[in-house]
Amino acid sequence: MYDLLVKNGTIVDGTGAPRFRGNVAVQGDTIVAVGEVSGPARETIDADGCIVTPGFVDIHTHYDGQVSWDNVLAPSSINGVTSAAMGNCGVGFAPARADKHDWLIQLLEGVEDIPGTALAEGLTWNWESFPDYLNALSQREYTIDLGAHMPHAALRAYVMGDRGGDHMERPTAGEVDRMAHLTAEAMEAGALGFSTSRTHAHRSRDGLNIGTLTAEDPELLGIAAALRKTGKGVIQLISDAYLTADDDFAAAELQLIRRLAQTSGRRVSFTVQQTDDAPDRWKSIYREIDAMVADGLPVSAQVAPRPIGAILSFASTTNPFVVAPTYRRIAAESASIDARLQALADPEVRAAILAEHAGFHASEGFIALITRGFSRMFRMTDPVDYEPHESQSIAAEAARAGIDPAAYVYDALMEEGGRRLLYMPLINYARGNLDDVHGMMTGDHVLYGLSDGGAHCGTICDGSFPTTTIALWSRGSKSGLSTPLERLVQGYTQRNARHVGWHDRGVLAPGLLADLNVIALDDLQLAPPEIVQDLPAGGTRLLQQPRGYRWTVKSGVPTFQQGQWTGRTPGRLLRGERAGA
């Protein structure tokens, strides 16, 4: 007798092969048969009218703090993810001496927009070294499996003390050796890899650049050599190469990535997106990746399936008026969101904020877009439209109404009791469509990632990337571009799993882990995010509910039914690579 039988579904097995109708039989945590399977089972799921896929593998999340207090790990878990990698972008909470706890919280609060009060209350800190951190996580249970990278910023501060937070400081040769030793120790203990950040966008709560920003070859290659020595782990990084209009800078960063791959002998992935300032940079980066792969270097671009968009609201982190002193004062002094919204409803406060906003001018960058990019601001629809046209923008609405756009935006944000959300695509939308995103996603050496699940709690809500990948691109964009469903599923299953060395999952085949989704594809869509207060210390975050997931099964155990958690937590910490069947 099988423990679980998923029957009558259309199987998209994760290999990229054509879909077929059949059943999946599970014994314990393992798939034992796929296809024409019959026989009794203790539990049966009827997947008629649905696709059956492997559980999704998200290689770019930031649950490093959330794992201390939460075992559900939404939004990833509610979007079909059954395995995830955290500790990306060089940030995390281990290794950590006691005198660096507050510093690490401030760093994650700034870089990943995770409320510091929630981290301060929720983090257990029952670790110091990275192996200690893994041991602490191994005592907990989750809805998904988790692996963790060794984060460069935490490592640097652990070894260099206060100097490690200053990107202009260079480690001594002894300090590089110490970082390399600790990285090797982490790999042997089960770290998934090593991550670092080289972007000006990553700053602490105090606005300081991340300490890893300008790390040089001796430091980075010294650490990379530790991966070669152990023969374990991957390298993940974010660089400003994709957003610069400076050809020389981009070339230098790509050469560094080449050296990291050469020195480590391991798989390397890095962020590639599109900005307004360099809308075609991704194409030249892809050519360089092609050249690296042709030279035998396993380098991949991590890409996103839609624009990276800020969620603007008076009830969350950012909106066009955060630059106004009156707004900042009210936000700082209000004891609750409701108190803030009540103050903002005062006509005199509105007038003061609008006057201050009118006097603020930023010529370029994200702050200019967020404060005055009214033609890139859109009301969030249900389901969410991630390819809106400029004619639907707040600027267009204001023009049709004959109203100053700033005043129009203020009043729009006061709708729904002050909880109205506006969507503002910042990245991957330079030409007002998704044509370039399709180009990035269909490249030869790409990984689907960058969801940032667990991060950007009040600004960005992209943990739903797996849902967008399957729903939007299997149907097609407004330009008529699409990707075969089988390839999309492969990207979020087998391809991602193999990249991080998890060969025991990502495909529906006998002998592999019984992680799977049952999805009503025609119903698959995303509702607008909601502002919820479910973090420690009453912290708020944006949480977006998908529709269309009928079942998610983790290690043979149904964890979600019709989008609702079943209360079961079969997920565990993953240490290092996993052998296949």
Side-chain angles (χ1 to χ4, degrees):
M1 177 177 287
Y2 303 122
D3 289 324
L4 176 67
L5 182 66
V6 181
K7 65 179 187 179
N8 304 323
T10 297
I11 295 173
V12 185
D13 69 4
T15 66
R19 69 195 82 177
F20 60 94
R21 189 170 174 83
N23 302 338
V24 180
V26 176
Q27 196 75 43
D29 65 357
T30 304
I31 297 169
V32 294
V34 177
E36 294 183 6
V37 181
S38 61
R42 293 181 175 85
E43 187 170 2
T44 299
I45 293 174
D46 189 351
D48 188 35
C50 297
I51 62 169
V52 182
T53 76
F56 299 142
V57 179
D58 190 339
I59 59 173
H60 195 113
T61 74
H62 293 280
Y63 291 110
D64 310 74
Q66 195 171 332
V67 289
S68 271
W69 67 79
D70 179 30
N71 54 9
V72 177
L73 299 181
S76 291
S77 60
I78 62 176
N79 281 276
V81 172
T82 52
S83 304
M86 60 187 184
N88 290 281
C89 298
V91 292
F93 294 106
R97 292 196 175 96
D99 64 350
K100 283 297 179 184
H101 290 179
D102 289 344
W103 182 85
L104 287 170
I105 287 172
Q106 290 180 34
L107 181 64
L108 269 291
E109 186 174 14
V111 171
E112 301 298 343
D113 186 29
I114 304 172
T117 53
L119 293 171
E121 181 169 307
L123 281 163
T124 53
W125 293 117
N126 53 332
W127 62 82
E128 178 174 322
S129 70
F130 196 88
D132 290 343
Y133 179 63
L134 296 184
N135 290 338
L137 298 188
S138 70
Q139 305 303 309
R140 295 183 57 83
E141 300 176 353
Y142 307 99
T143 59
I144 67 177
D145 283 344
L146 286 160
H149 293 295
M150 163 68 97
H152 190 188
L155 172 66
R156 206 170 197 266
Y158 188 78
V159 171
M160 297 173 63
D162 291 342
R163 290 170 44 247
D166 184 348
H167 73 94
M168 299 302 292
E169 288 282 348
R170 301 290 172 245
T172 65
E175 288 169 335
V176 171
D177 288 344
R178 178 66 173 154
M179 282 190 266
H181 171 77
L182 292 174
T183 299
E185 179 184 72
M187 296 304 119
E188 297 293 355
L192 192 60
F194 168 78
S195 72
T196 189
S197 168
R198 301 179 61 78
T199 177
H200 284 85
H202 285 168
R203 297 172 182 266
S204 71
R205 184 180 66 192
D206 297 331
L208 300 176
N209 289 116
I210 193 168
T212 61
L213 176 64
T214 56
E216 295 180 346
D217 275 20
E219 179 178 351
L220 288 169
L221 301 185
I223 294 170
L227 272 67
R228 177 178 286 277
K229 179 180 179 180
T230 62
K232 297 178 180 180
V234 299
I235 294 177
Q236 180 276 328
L237 72 148
I238 180 171
S239 161
D240 279 343
Y242 72 86
L243 57 76
T244 182
D246 185 334
D247 292 341
D248 292 339
F249 174 81
E253 288 292 288
L254 291 166
Q255 283 302 308
L256 172 61
I257 290 168
R258 175 182 279 270
R259 292 193 296 275
L260 284 170
Q262 289 171 331
T263 302
S264 69
R266 307 300 298 168
R267 295 179 296 279
V268 176
S269 69
F270 66 102
T271 299
V272 179
Q273 303 179 107
Q274 179 196 56
T275 65
D276 290 12
D277 294 333
D280 292 316
R281 175 64 65 194
W282 68 272
K283 297 177 183 178
S284 62
I285 290 175
Y286 272 35
R287 289 192 292 271
E288 288 300 319
I289 293 175
D290 289 343
M292 292 182 211
V293 174
D295 289 341
L297 301 175
V299 177
S300 302
Q302 271 202 47
V303 299
R306 69 184 194 223
I308 310 296
I311 310 299
L312 310 179
S313 171
F314 280 151
S316 59
T317 300
T318 196
N319 59 70
F321 306 103
V322 293
V323 295
T326 298
Y327 179 86
R328 292 201 301 270
R329 175 182 57 77
I330 289 171
E333 294 177 354
S334 298
S336 66
I337 291 175
D338 288 340
R340 181 196 311 174
L341 298 177
Q342 184 177 356
L344 294 173
D346 186 321
E348 292 185 2
V349 168
R350 175 183 180 274
I353 291 174
L354 287 174
E356 292 164 358
H357 178 271
F360 177 85
H361 296 282
S363 59
E364 59 185 14
F366 290 149
I367 191 64
L369 271 177
I370 288 172
T371 54
R372 295 200 178 278
F374 303 122
S375 63
R376 291 272 280 268
M377 298 178 192
F378 305 88
R379 297 174 188 271
M380 297 207 82
T381 56
D382 188 0
V384 179
D385 179 4
Y386 285 111
E387 196 176 9
H389 190 268
E390 188 174 338
S391 63
Q392 303 167 266
S393 70
I394 286 291
E397 288 186 17
R400 288 191 289 269
I403 298 174
D404 172 72
Y408 193 88
V409 168
Y410 193 104
D411 294 340
L413 290 172
M414 288 304 302
E415 295 171 1
E416 300 179 3
R419 286 176 165 79
R420 157 65 72 179
L421 303 181
L422 300 180
Y423 173 61
M424 184 174 204
L426 294 172
I427 299 287
N428 288 353
Y429 215 59
R431 296 184 171 96
N433 59 52
L434 298 182
D435 292 4
D436 287 314
V437 172
H438 183 265
M440 285 185 271
M441 290 186 68
T442 53
D444 291 332
H445 310 293
V446 301
L447 300 167
Y448 298 162
L450 311 183
S451 81
D452 281 347
H456 303 296
C457 298
T459 307
I460 296 171
C461 196
D462 288 341
S464 55
F465 271 3
T467 301
T468 293
T469 299
I470 305 303
L472 190 157
W473 291 112
S474 66
R475 296 168 189 157
S477 67
K478 293 179 181 178
S479 300
L481 299 171
S482 64
T483 300
L485 174 65
E486 291 84 353
R487 181 171 179 176
L488 296 168
V489 170
Q490 182 186 29
Y492 250 114
T493 56
Q494 184 189 57
R495 193 190 309 155
N496 277 358
R498 284 183 173 177
H499 174 75
V500 294
W502 294 336
H503 300 285
D504 62 341
R505 67 199 65 204
V507 173
L508 298 179
L512 297 186
L513 197 63
D515 290 357
L516 55 90
N517 288 307
V518 177
I519 304 170
L521 186 60
D522 290 344
D523 297 336
L524 193 63
Q525 58 183 220
L526 288 162
E530 300 176 84
I531 299 170
V532 299
Q533 291 180 269
D534 64 351
L535 296 179
T540 62
R541 63 172 173 159
L542 293 159
L543 191 62
Q544 186 175 29
Q545 293 290 338
R547 304 176 184 128
Y549 291 94
R550 297 293 179 256
W551 292 89
T552 295
V553 176
K554 171 78 200 98
S555 298
V557 176
T559 47
F560 290 87
Q561 180 181 1
Q562 301 290 350
Q564 299 299 311
W565 179 38
T566 63
R568 304 171 79 176
T569 51
R572 300 292 186 272
L573 170 74
L574 296 177
R575 292 181 185 266
E577 296 197 1
R578 311 281 292 189

